[in-house]
Amino acid sequence: MKWSVDLKGTLSPLSIITAFWLKPNTIAYPAVKKETAKGYRGFHTNFLADCIGCANCQDVCMNDAIDMIKTDKEYNSKNTSQCIPRIDYGRCCWCSLCTDVCPPNSLKLEDDYLNVTKHASDFLYMPKDKE
Amino acid sequence: MENKHITIFHGPQHPGITGNMSIELDLIGETIQKATTHVGYLHRGFEKLIERRTVIQAFTIVCRICVPEPDPNEANFAMAVEELAGLEVTPRAQYIRVMVLELSRLAAQFLWMAGQSGSIGLYAVGQWAIADRDLILDLFEELTGARVYHMYIYPGGVRRDLPEGFLERVTTLLIYMKKRLKDYDDIFINNASFKNRAVGVGIISKEEAVANGYVGQVLRGCGIKADVRKDAPYLVYNELEFEVPTQTTGDVYARALVRRAEMDQSLHILDQVVRKMPEGKVMIKIPTHRKFKLPKDDTWVKVESARGEFAYYMAGDGSEKIRRMQVRGPSLVHAYTLLEDLLIGAELSDVALIMNSLGICPPEIER
Amino acid sequence: MEHNGFLLEQKTLEGDLNSDTSHKNSVDFLMNWFRKRSIFVLAYGTGCGAIEMPPTFTSRYDAERLGIRGAATPRQADVIIVSGYCSYKTLRRIIRTYEQMSNPKYILALGSCTVNGGMYWDSYNTIKKLEDYLPVDMYVNGCMPRPESILEGFIALQKEIGEGKASSWKKYEENYEFYRKNQEAILGKKVEPSYDADWYLYDGGL
Amino acid sequence: MFNEIKQRFATDDVEVKRNDLYKVRIKYSRLFELMHMLRDEYDYKTLNAITCTDWIEEGHFALTYMLTTEDRKYTFMIQTMINREDAQAKTLSHEYKQAQIMERDLHEMYGIDFPGNENLKELSLESWVHTPPLRREFDTLEFVTNHLIFREGREDNVDTKAETKRLRAEKKAQKSKDEEVKDGK
């Protein structure tokens, strides 16, 4: 390898100095929070007044992430199996196929996505009852 | 003092490696005598998992095959399924697909730029390039609902229509990028330290490139105008106007110039896509996931990814599951046949440089 | 030579440092404060999640503001990020790398795959529960986690370190038999990769 | 070209899949002859990929060779069947350099032997002793349940179909009981 004199190539990188006058593009995260876009695929919500317990979401989930369970919550009278979905976030990949196949459109994804925990058992998640 | 013959592992834990893979290097002094690639650190058995899932279920897993650039996989999968099932996609969906593919190509080139500059110690370029790539990811987030794994291009169309005002935001980004790319020329492509490191390193001859089935920038870097978008146009690429940039020297620098020129072409294509975007539906009606059946037939589809031809072989067997899907990404041959060849006689310090210029992406080698 | 991983070597080197670090006096408090403000992350992208690490560590999200930055070698690193799924072959390397890291050391696990297998729950080549093989300090949710999530994970880890609670490496040493048994169950008797980084020891040194 | 192939190799199984994709099925014994013909006379110079499909019901593997022209415009798929038990195919690694790694991949995933290929070491698996994973008889879920443990805490999953049936039956029983009570009155 030999070094050849390349004046343009040597001087042009110095234009990076002009970047001193640029506005920083950093999002100072904990202080400044960037809003997620509309329709971001975050955690699940399940509007219980609509949920019919059909287990379509469980059927379509290729990750086996959805359990249909019984809880002491009050259900929709149309809920034939008296079960509602619970999501295992140790499996979920946020593909939103489950929300696509939901017949009454009660299962949705919200824009919240933060869950940081020491305990792996915290990843079993009951969707919030939210329209 | 006589130099000793030593063997070292370059990777998997190494800052100068493109992902989780390793190269076993036999060295005398700093000169490489023999290179052996090792992969498998990311083997997940995609091809087996896809056989277990129905078509609709398998669609979510294919984008994981190549992490830096998931969209060509989705497009490939959707195109293969559509070809087997005999579906026709609406023009608007096709244009949106082209837009997504070109945006992801641009994003992948920025990621490459960060890696390539990092491999010779120009870290400022990486800081800029990753930040500019994030602007594209922001657009993706708005369009698809996720930053990296979009799961957006679906058999039968795309999953969502464009949000309101999206095309204007793409145009704004294009104007910014056009201006911004000149800065990269100044600090990276024309940089004397990059030129001196890259010119004449990792030279590939034309004959070898053709015979051994190399693709993408490796081919175009040694003067062959090969691009799937031109050779076998898919989607609506035959309605769009663009060029296939080539170089003749076949070294690392030539490949860098080709990639840089491709970024300009991507911007040019996006410009046309935004102007030509037709109205209409984005999704045709397809059967539900238990009823979506593929006939007993096979096909071979390919798209041009940011690193070259990306092809899928898909065979159906009359059931709702895919019998076999083989992924033939650009990296398999590049990482073995090409890299092992190129590294012989190279310096230890050039390993990262050469590797980055080939754009090797391990998750797609072992799948 | 008896092959016991790097654990043995480390014990002889750092025997005293392994004493209780939950702060009882101001020196411990100061130590924890220092540790929490300078986290060096090993540059090892073990899986998908590694693609969100460049944005986290470069100018857009700029983790260096919080004292978090990359380190090239395990000996200089404090944190190893297991970014997503972990194939058997990688697990060997992660175990080796982890054992090479000097105390105190922490593991940050990203994504669904480290919790319960994630997307690859039926794959024959990936592990399902990372905590069986290595002690995990913090799990971050997502597939893959956004840079904000990763930063949040680091902030939570810093808090733990500051309070002197993050002590997974001690857990690893105390329960070494348990972890080793699990590792051997899937990797076979020889957990380390077949090549040996200690070649100079056998070779008589440089 | 198709006529020549049909005549010389006595096969009718040539189809045009797309305007740039052709496919021919051929006996294994004539495979390499055809490949050489395509390479020498019709410019199909590059071997792009070798794939294998497991047709376990019919007892064979379908090996597919993808040949591409020099200008990368046309692809020819040549498919041949080999016996599933003790599968074997001649190596192409001496003619096409890239065939070595593709064959190595197939050898690992399907257990097909390629005599003449010097480098058939394991590729992505490490010390694998079970059935080659991509063969159909290898059940990955069974392997996983035998070798690994999933996270506990999900045992309360209810089979909704059975539960619906049970609830319906219960309701019915309740109803008939009510009616009985009514009738009894």
Side-chain angles (χ1 to χ4, degrees), chain D residues 85-103:
Chain D
E85 303 309 317
D86 154 49
Q88 222 181 44
K90 208 181 108 189
T91 178
L92 280 172
S93 56
H94 303 295
E95 294 164 59
Y96 302 97
K97 228 174 169 182
Q98 70 272 31
Q100 194 187 57
I101 178 68
M102 295 166 184
E103 285 167 1

Side-chain angles (χ1 to χ4, degrees), chain C:
Chain C
M1 194 175 86
E2 176 76 14
H3 237 292
N4 246 341
F6 284 82
L7 219 59
L8 203 83
E9 187 190 341
Q10 215 155 65
K11 265 185 185 152
T12 53
L13 281 174
E14 304 166 356
D16 296 339
L17 276 178
N18 291 343
S19 55
D20 196 2
T21 39
S22 57
H23 51 83
K24 291 180 190 110
N25 51 43
S26 50
V27 178
D28 285 334
F29 178 77
L30 211 60
M31 278 304 285
N32 283 331
W33 193 81
F34 286 142
R35 277 176 185 165
K36 119 181 179 193
R37 302 303 290 203
S38 72
I39 290 184
F40 280 66
V41 183
L42 185 69
Y44 184 12
T46 60
C48 300
I51 197 75
E52 288 286 36
M53 271 143 76
T56 317
F57 289 102
T58 55
S59 64
R60 190 79 191 286
Y61 289 93
D62 200 9
E64 215 164 321
R65 286 176 295 126
L66 308 170
I68 302 155
R69 59 162 301 167
T73 68
R75 289 285 187 204
Q76 295 157 338
D78 302 314
V79 175
I80 178 169
I81 297 187
V82 180
S83 49
Y85 63 88
C86 192
S87 68
Y88 296 165
K89 204 168 172 175
T90 304
L91 184 64
R92 280 182 209 275
R93 274 77 184 172
I94 292 179
I95 291 167
R96 188 184 192 111
T97 316
Y98 181 71
E99 290 182 357
Q100 281 179 26
M101 283 162 66
S102 47
N103 290 343
K105 53 194 173 185
Y106 312 100
I107 294 187
L108 194 68
L110 301 189
S112 304
C113 304
T114 49
V115 180
N116 197 10
M119 284 223 85
Y120 315 109
W121 63 285
D122 50 353
S123 164
Y124 51 83
N125 203 38
T126 60
I127 58 159
K128 313 299 167 207
K129 280 162 70 185
L130 181 65
E131 63 179 11
D132 277 358
Y133 312 101
L134 288 169
V136 181
D137 278 289
M138 204 58 76
Y139 288 99
V140 179
N141 177 67
C143 179
M144 56 198 42
R146 291 167 63 91
E148 283 103 329
S149 293
I150 301 179
L151 282 180
E152 199 70 43
F154 274 119
I155 293 164
L157 183 64
Q158 281 179 328
K159 209 173 147 208
E160 292 270 301
I161 296 170
E163 288 168 5
K165 279 187 200 157
S167 56
S168 65
W169 82 89
K170 275 193 245 159
K171 201 169 137 199
Y172 187 67
E173 284 176 11
E174 280 158 17
N175 305 319
Y176 184 66
E177 280 76 34
F178 165 77
Y179 289 112
R180 183 79 186 187
K181 200 182 95 228
N182 286 336
Q183 290 163 6
E184 280 178 359
I186 59 162
L187 299 178
K189 276 278 166 246
K190 187 162 167 50
V191 172
E192 283 86 19
S194 50
Y195 59 82
D196 208 319
D198 287 339
W199 56 270
Y200 57 86
L201 280 183
Y202 304 113
D203 231 23
L206 279 172

Side-chain angles (χ1 to χ4, degrees), chain B residues 32-47:
Chain B
I32 296 159
Q33 307 296 315
K34 183 171 165 260
T36 320
T37 312
H38 293 278
V39 299
Y41 304 103
L42 298 172
H43 179 71
R44 289 152 274 178
F46 272 119
E47 286 159 355

Side-chain angles (χ1 to χ4, degrees), chain B residues 272-347:
Chain B
Q272 296 173 55
V273 170
V274 169
R275 273 192 283 111
K276 284 187 177 174
M277 182 68 73
E279 291 298 317
K281 282 177 119 180
V282 292
M283 189 73 191
I284 55 170
K285 209 166 160 26
I286 55 163
T288 52
H289 91 109
R290 291 277 175 214
K291 290 186 185 131
F292 199 124
K293 286 185 178 158
L294 294 180
K296 189 170 176 181
D297 197 3
D298 55 354
T299 189
W300 172 256
V301 292
K302 48 189 181 180
V303 301
E304 182 76 19
S305 78
R307 290 160 293 114
E309 176 190 312
F310 210 110
Y312 276 15
Y313 170 84
M314 192 183 280
D317 60 353
S319 75
E320 72 276 5
K321 290 181 180 161
I322 296 167
R323 179 42 81 104
R324 167 86 169 122
M325 197 186 96
Q326 158 112 357
V327 183
R328 201 285 196 194
S331 304
L332 176 71
V333 173
H334 284 183
Y336 273 88
T337 321
L338 180 53
L339 188 65
E340 285 178 0
D341 252 22
L342 273 188
L343 287 184
I344 294 173
E347 301 275 307

